[in-house]
Each structure stands twice: as C-alpha cells, then as structure tokens.
Amino acid sequence: MTFVRVCGADELEEDTPKRVELDGTPISIVHTEGELFAIHDICSHANVSLAEGEVDDCHIECWLHGSRFDLRSGKPDSLPATRPVPVYPVKIEGDDVLVSLTQES
C-alpha cells in the first residue's frame, strides 16, 4: 500500500475537517476523539463538500441536507443519504499526515 503526504499534522484542528486533494480525489482529513480519519469529501447524496460540515461522535455531517457519515466506515446513519462514501487508510509519520487511495471500505 502506497501512502502519500497530504498535509502536516500541525495543520489539523480537533473536530475540524481539512479538505485535501490526492491525485484528483477530494478527501476530508479529520482528527477527532484521539484518532485520525480520511473520508471521501463529497456527500453521496448531493455533490457538496463534507469538509464544510460538523464533526461529532466520530461522524461528519453534510451541511446541505444533514446526512451523517461514520468516519470509520463511511456509512450514512441518517437520511437522505443511503450510499456510503469511501474511507481511506491514513497515518501520521513524524509531522506528516499520509493517506493511501486504497479504500478500506
């Protein structure tokens, strides 16, 4: 699995998504509850950025219609979204946040 640097760890704020792009793929990086997550940044219900939504209880909420996606699995747990969004392997090495486009789910 190949990991690529997407940002510095010091660029992340707790519970504040950071939108990055890796090889043309929009990704939200989220640091919450002591963990780091990488989730596809486009809501599966509407073509809007999830990074503009709020993070709570290991979920990210789409600001447009209120669908919430589990940061661990990408699965929605509220309507109107019914399809999951991809999540990606993410890790920190030194001061760098690295993501692989290999999907975890």
Side-chain angles (χ1 to χ4, degrees), residues 9-10 16 18 27-28 30 36 44-45 50 54 57-58 64 67 69 80 82 91 101 103-104:
D10 61 345
T16 302
K18 177 170 180 63
I27 299 169
S28 287
V30 181
L36 193 61
S44 63
H45 170 258
L50 292 176
E54 294 186 16
D57 193 29
C58 243
L64 187 58
S67 290
F69 296 88
T82 58
K91 64 182 179 179
L101 287 181
Q103 293 182 18
E104 288 186 338

Side-chain angles (χ1 to χ4, degrees), residues 2-17:
T2 302
F3 283 85
V4 177
R5 182 188 189 280
V6 293
C7 66
D10 61 345
E11 297 175 49
L12 300 177
E13 296 180 37
E14 183 80 12
D15 296 331
T16 302

Side-chain angles (χ1 to χ4, degrees), residues 50-62:
L50 292 176
E52 296 178 34
E54 294 186 16
V55 174
D56 182 50
D57 193 29
C58 243
H59 288 76
I60 190 166
E61 183 176 332
C62 177

Side-chain angles (χ1 to χ4, degrees), residues 36-51:
L36 193 61
F37 300 94
I39 189 167
H40 193 75
D41 187 51
I42 304 300
C43 177
S44 63
H45 170 258
N47 189 25
V48 297
S49 172
L50 292 176

